[in-house]
Structure formats: structure tokens, C-alpha cells
């Protein structure tokens, strides 16, 4: 079994110390930068636009993990610098044309993912399985950093792993996003999560340096 992958949540990063932060990420070989894109409609918040992220992209080779929390993402994917090797997730709840949207991501050469809000059942993706490379299980309600976990989502991760394996999709990875602390990250890993969005609950926590927190999180999700 591969080791757990770390995707720092860039909406939690200190952009006044971006170069230093990216150096620490590169030193710790984080697998992706998690880019939360929010439109103020699908979720009650605005975050990371394309122009800012193009500048971040010019500073590092770390692949992006775009998490679109926007309405009708199929109409907006072309606005972004999506490259082969990136991960791109869109919310099942955000468009009536989810299959078309997922196909568009793959056409761009990126890994395609469907994101599920805490209450959205796993059966929603029954007829999407051939089209996805990962499922993003939201363990908080999307929109803000620093929220409390929705407790039943820990079981949802375990159920998702069984759901995928039982249907012959054991290679579809599970990403978990929201309140991934050191302790909860360990449980998420035991329950089958593969990729961990690291925010204020772990690596950007004030209790420790970014570098030490990254090392500590790695230990919890190995
Ligand atoms: C929530 C975002 C997450 C969040 C994770 O909508 O998608 O990336 O920032 O950070 P914490 O650990 O603060 O929940
Ligand atoms: Zn996210």
C-alpha cells in the first residue's frame, strides 16, 4: 500500500511568506498543492482565483490539486491552468452535468475527481466510477478553514473504500478534506484515505513550525 499523500490547503497558507512556504513544501516533497476555488454561490466564501494561482505555479513544479467549489464548473474549467498530472475535483452537487464535467477534466489530461459534501450518499457516484480517478470526501461542510469535523464522515471514508473495492475500483483513491488533524488524520488513514488536505488543523497549526508539522503529519498517515 502506498504511503499517504499530503496536499497543503493553499487557502490556509501565509501568502506574505510564499517563497519560504513553497521551499518547505518542496523540501518535504508534498505531492500536491490543494487549491480551493470558491465562487460565493456554491459555498458562502471567495478564495483563490486563477490569476493568483498562475503566479504560484510560476514559482514551483509541485502539481496542483484543484478543488472546485463553484456552480456549474463545466463552464469554468477552461479559465484555469490545468495540466497533465494535476488533480481536479468538482462537486457532485454543483452541476446537473457531472459526467460531462468529469470527462472534460480527463480530456485535459488531469486526474478526475468527484467531491461529495458530508451528507451526499456514496451511491451518487455509482454510474461515475469508470470516469473518476479519485473521490474527495468532504469531512467538513465546504467553504471555510478551521471548522469542526462532521463526525459521521469518518465512517463514510471507510464505507467509500468498501464501496469502491466491492465494485472493482480499488485503484480509485480517496482524498479527505477538512479538519484533518494529526489524530484524526491517523483514523482517516486507518479507514482508507489516501490523500490528505492539510490545513489549519495540522500543518498550519500555530503549535509548531510548518516543517515540523509536515514531518508529524507524515508520521500519522504513513
Ligand atoms: C474547506 C477547505 C479545506 C480546509 C482545510 O472548504 O476545502 O481545504 O481549508 O483546512 P482545515 O484543516 O482548516 O479544515
Ligand atoms: Zn478543499
Amino acid at each position: 500500500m502506498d504511503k499517504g499523500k499530503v496536499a497543503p490547503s493553499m487557502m490556509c497558507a501565509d501568502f506574505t511568506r510564499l517563497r519560504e512556504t513553497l521551499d518547505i513544501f518542496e523540501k518535504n516533497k508534498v505531492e500536491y498543492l490543494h487549491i480551493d476555488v470558491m465562487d460565493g454561490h456554491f459555498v458562502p466564501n471567495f478564495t483563490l482565483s486563477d490569476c493568483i494561482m498562475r503566479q504560484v505555479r510560476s514559482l514551483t513544479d509541485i502539481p496542483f490539486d484543484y478543488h472546485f467549489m463553484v456552480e456549474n464548473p463545466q463552464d469554468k474549467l477552461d479559465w484555469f491552468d490545468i495540466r497533465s498530472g494535476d488533480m481536479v475535483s468538482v462537486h457532485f452537487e454543483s452541476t446537473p452535468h457531472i459526467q460531462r464535467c468529469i470527462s472534460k477534466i480527463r480530456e485535459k489530461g488531469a486526474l478526475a475527481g468527484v467531491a461529495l459534501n458530508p451528507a451526499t450518499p456514496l451511491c451518487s457516484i455509482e454510474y461515475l466510477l469508470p470516469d473518476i480517478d479519485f473521490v474527495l470526501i468532504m469531512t467538513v461542510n465546504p467553504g471555510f478553514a478551521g471548522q469542526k469535523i462532521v463526525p459521521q464522515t469518518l465512517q463514510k471514508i471507510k464505507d467509500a473504500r468498501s464501496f469502491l473495492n466491492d465494485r472493482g475500483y480499488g485503484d480509485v483513491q480517496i482524498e479527505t478534506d477538512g479538519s484533518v488533524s494529526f489524530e484524526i488524520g491517523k483514523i482517516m488513514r486507518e479507514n482508507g484515505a489516501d490523500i490528505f488536505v492539510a490545513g489549519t488543523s495540522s500543518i498550519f497549526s500555530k503549535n509548531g513550525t510548518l516543517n515540523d508539522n509536515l514531518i508529524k503529519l507524515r508520521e500519522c498517515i504513513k
Side-chain angles (χ1 to χ4, degrees):
M1 189 172 169
D2 293 346
K3 66 182 172 62
K5 300 182 181 85
V6 174
S9 175
M10 291 305 288
M11 71 181 274
C12 304
D14 175 354
F15 273 68
T16 66
R17 300 169 66 182
L18 184 58
R19 179 67 269 167
E20 177 192 344
T21 300
L22 291 172
D23 288 346
I24 293 169
F25 287 163
E26 288 168 0
K27 182 182 149 208
N28 286 274
K29 297 185 174 40
V30 305
E31 284 81 0
Y32 296 95
L33 298 184
H34 186 78
I35 316 294
D36 286 314
V37 181
M38 303 182 189
D39 65 357
H41 292 283
F42 182 70
V43 290
N45 195 1
F46 280 101
T47 52
L48 305 176
S49 69
D50 173 54
C51 52
I52 295 172
M53 297 324 297
R54 283 178 192 270
Q55 291 179 29
V56 173
R57 189 139 226 174
S58 69
L59 298 173
T60 182
D61 292 332
I62 302 172
F64 279 9
D65 166 28
Y66 288 103
H67 174 196
F68 285 98
M69 290 166 271
V70 303
E71 283 180 358
N72 295 315
Q74 70 276 0
D75 303 333
K76 298 162 187 166
L77 293 177
D78 292 340
W79 301 352
F80 289 80
D81 177 13
I82 294 172
R83 298 183 188 175
S84 171
D86 284 349
M87 290 171 62
V88 179
S89 60
V90 292
H91 271 262
F92 180 85
E93 310 88 354
S94 66
T95 170
H97 307 295
I98 184 70
Q99 199 282 334
R100 180 188 296 151
C101 189
I102 292 280
S103 304
K104 199 168 174 181
I105 295 169
R106 273 201 169 154
E107 284 158 21
K108 290 178 174 289
L111 295 170
V114 58
L116 301 177
N117 281 338
T120 303
L122 293 167
C123 61
S124 316
I125 62 172
E126 183 81 54
Y127 301 105
L128 267 178
L129 295 176
D131 304 312
I132 58 173
D133 301 292
F134 67 99
V135 183
L136 193 160
I137 304 281
M138 286 306 298
T139 41
V140 298
N141 287 299
F144 298 92
Q147 298 181 94
K148 288 243 169 299
I149 191 164
V150 176
Q152 59 268 37
T153 57
L154 288 174
Q155 181 62 42
K156 187 175 180 180
I157 292 170
K158 189 180 269 187
D159 295 346
R161 191 64 273 157
S162 308
F163 181 88
L164 293 165
N165 292 353
D166 293 351
R167 287 157 178 77
Y169 289 89
D171 56 344
V172 173
Q173 300 228 302
I174 295 174
E175 181 175 25
T176 178
D177 185 356
S179 196
V180 180
S181 66
F182 301 115
E183 301 72 27
I184 294 175
K186 203 175 256 178
I187 299 167
M188 290 166 163
R189 181 64 174 158
E190 287 160 6
N191 287 4
D194 304 291
I195 304 155
F196 298 79
V197 175
T200 63
S201 316
S202 56
I203 64 170
F204 293 110
S205 149
K206 297 281 176 266
N207 313 321
T209 67
L210 179 59
N211 188 70
D212 291 350
N213 286 341
L214 272 165
I215 294 167
K216 189 174 173 185
L217 180 62
R218 279 276 187 218
E219 201 45 40
C220 298
I221 63 168
K222 62 186 180 192

